Amino acid sequence: MKHFKMTIGSRQTASSSGETLVATNPYTGEDFATIPNASAEDVTEAIGEAKKAFDTVWSLTNGYERSRLMNKLADILDANATELGELESADNGKLVAETTNQARFSARMYRFYAGQADKIFGSVIPLDRPGFFDYTRRVPVGVAVLITAWNSPMQLLSNKLAPALAAGNTVVVKPSEHASTSTLKFAEYVRQAGFPEGVFNVVTGGPHVGEALTTDRRVGRISFTGSVQVGQAIQRAAASTLIPVTLELGGKSPNIIFDDADIDAAVKGAAAGIFGAGGQSCIAGSRLLVQRGVYERVVAELAELADGIRLGNPAEVGVQMGPVANRPQHERITSMVKDASRDAVMATKGGRDLSALGNGLFVEPVVFRDVSNDSDIARHEVFGPVLSVIPFETEEEAIAMANDSDFGLASGVWTQNLGRAHRVADRIEAGTVWVNTYRVSQAQAPFGGVKQSGYGRERGVEAIDDYLTTKNIMINLTNEPDKSF
Ligand SMILES: NC(=O)C1=CN([C@@H]2O[C@H](COP(=O)(O)OP(=O)(O)OC[C@H]3O[C@@H](n4cnc5c(N)ncnc54)[C@H](OP(=O)(O)O)[C@@H]3O)[C@@H](O)[C@H]2O)C=CC1
Ligand SMILES: CCCCCC/C=C/C(=O)O
């Protein structure tokens, strides 16, 4: 059993209350680590350390040096990607191959934003008034609070931390209590890279830790990834202090297959879009809209593919889906499938003996066919390997159904008609539209949602804007006093 510690300023520390939470491996069912359950005092102290480091060190550290440290961190992450991947998989049951790749991708993110750290500048602005000189500076917001979900701790952290550090902010991070160990380990790599004490702080524990972080007046930005309900709670909490918030929330992303698509590629893409990470992905393509001409073929091929998915040990090569991440998640998925089964037709055979897989929190991949876009299963996020297939006749109908959702995070379009690809991409209400591909991640491509999927963008050059504010400096170069009085 490993006992992880938090990082608060120069200290690697337990909770001041001495309380811990247990990390349970969803594949083995075994408790493998403890994490501190931070107290309100720990949170206050962490923000204080971050503020001190911002005021005395990090805001005075030039962009080139920030960039150098971030590149060093990326090298350390690359060298330790397997260890981080194994730890993350032990926490959330995702395939080690995927979590390791995500740790490597995180390294790419730190390098991408390292490239921006020494290229942050304002502008000189000509004014109406003669003898005046006006310029802007883009300055860091100060202390950024970064709150992440359990499904991809390293990747979600890099989406926030890389631009925050590049912009010159210090941070307090709170990972999900269901998957904190990789972030606590990551703190060691930040130290190894040589970041000054207090630049990176991490506190762990349950919702009370997040709540305490989002109401502290010393915070300059909150960036949150998680559920809509908690996103709303954070926005309400931040209203009292007017702390600006970035929200990356859930999705019910439409993946649209037209008759003219390369059907083999579309079926594989649709399967990867929903069964990758066991569907525990905000960008999961959970609503598959399929044009009538290819509907029966697509449903049959997808059901066969889903029934053939190999479940098992997430560390084993060849296994395609591990267990789901935690017991509440397991209960949520199984109850949503049970409810949906009353109305929707299951295209998958199902009926596997999941107990043969040991103590793991497994669920079977499910394909529902002929789903109504108005039904609960098509409207609510499952966050599991459950696909709702919905038929359509025309392009107009597909666009209308795709947009008839509270969410707007991601989407996919499968067609070989170039005009149609652009037409549909233009009209879908979502932060990301993939065409003839799905779930591809790139550091340069901005990511985020519209509607209840949240707001603000992560990744890409514009993400750094959330961690900067513009200061205007206006100088009277003449010796004449203002004439107003
Ligand atoms: N848009 C995106 O990029 C992504 C969105 N998601 C969404 O996240 C959800 C699943 O993740 P899950 O972790 O269950 O989501 P939650 O919203 O429950 O939790 C997310 C984080 O917020 C913390 N938290 C809980 N309550 C509060 C509060 N009142 N104030 C501040 N922080 C709080 C959680 O802590 P604790 O866990 O300790 O309770 C956790 O660290 C799904 O709905 C999914 O769509 C997931 C990944 C990516
Ligand atoms: C363009 C894809 C960006 C995804 C970033 C966050 C989601 C992670 C996940 O769902 O695993």
Side-chain angles (χ1 to χ4, degrees), residues 147-151 156 174-178 205-207 210-211 214 224-227 230 234 248-251 282 381 383 409 447:
I147 303 178
T148 56
W150 44 259
N151 63 326
L156 299 179
K174 185 226 169 304
S176 165
E177 65 186 297
H178 299 294
E211 279 165 25
T214 52
F224 168 79
T225 295
S227 62
V230 175
I234 288 176
E248 299 289 355
L249 309 176
C282 50
E381 186 174 46
F383 225 58
L409 191 60
F447 169 69

Side-chain angles (χ1 to χ4, degrees), residues 16-69:
S16 57
S17 67
E19 281 181 34
T20 56
L21 299 172
V22 169
T24 307
N25 182 322
Y27 173 61
T28 61
E30 283 164 13
D31 296 340
F32 69 96
T34 64
I35 60 166
N37 191 13
S39 64
E41 292 72 44
D42 297 329
V43 172
T44 301
E45 189 188 342
I47 295 175
E49 289 295 334
K51 180 82 176 90
K52 189 169 80 189
F54 177 76
D55 289 341
T56 60
V57 187
W58 200 236
S59 62
L60 311 173
T61 303
N62 67 42
Y64 183 51
E65 175 63 4
R66 296 200 301 274
S67 171
R68 189 187 70 76
L69 291 169

Side-chain angles (χ1 to χ4, degrees), residues 316-363:
E316 201 178 305
V317 176
V319 166
Q320 293 167 299
M321 242 177 69
V324 297
N326 51 60
R327 198 157 290 283
Q329 185 62 10
H330 187 265
E331 278 163 19
R332 176 188 163 87
I333 298 169
T334 45
S335 109
M336 285 183 85
V337 169
K338 195 167 152 216
D339 289 350
S341 305
R342 291 199 197 105
D343 302 317
V345 181
M346 215 183 264
T348 32
K349 288 200 206 83
R352 302 184 201 206
D353 177 12
L354 296 176
S355 66
L357 296 168
N359 295 327
L361 297 172
F362 286 98
V363 295

Side-chain angles (χ1 to χ4, degrees), residues 85-150:
E86 284 170 359
L87 209 45
E88 189 162 311
S89 171
D91 251 337
N92 67 14
K94 278 170 47 174
L95 300 184
V96 171
E98 171 156 6
T99 51
T100 303
N101 273 340
Q102 289 192 340
R104 288 206 184 93
F105 182 78
S106 302
R108 172 72 182 98
M109 290 287 292
Y110 293 102
R111 291 196 181 96
F112 178 79
Y113 286 99
Q116 268 190 276
D118 59 354
K119 297 170 195 69
I120 298 168
F121 33 72
S123 46
V124 173
I125 302 177
L127 300 180
D128 295 345
R129 191 139 179 184
F132 270 54
F133 179 67
D134 193 271
Y135 67 97
T136 60
R137 291 185 59 223
R138 294 174 76 219
V139 295
V141 294
V143 177
V145 160
L146 314 178
I147 303 178
T148 56
W150 44 259

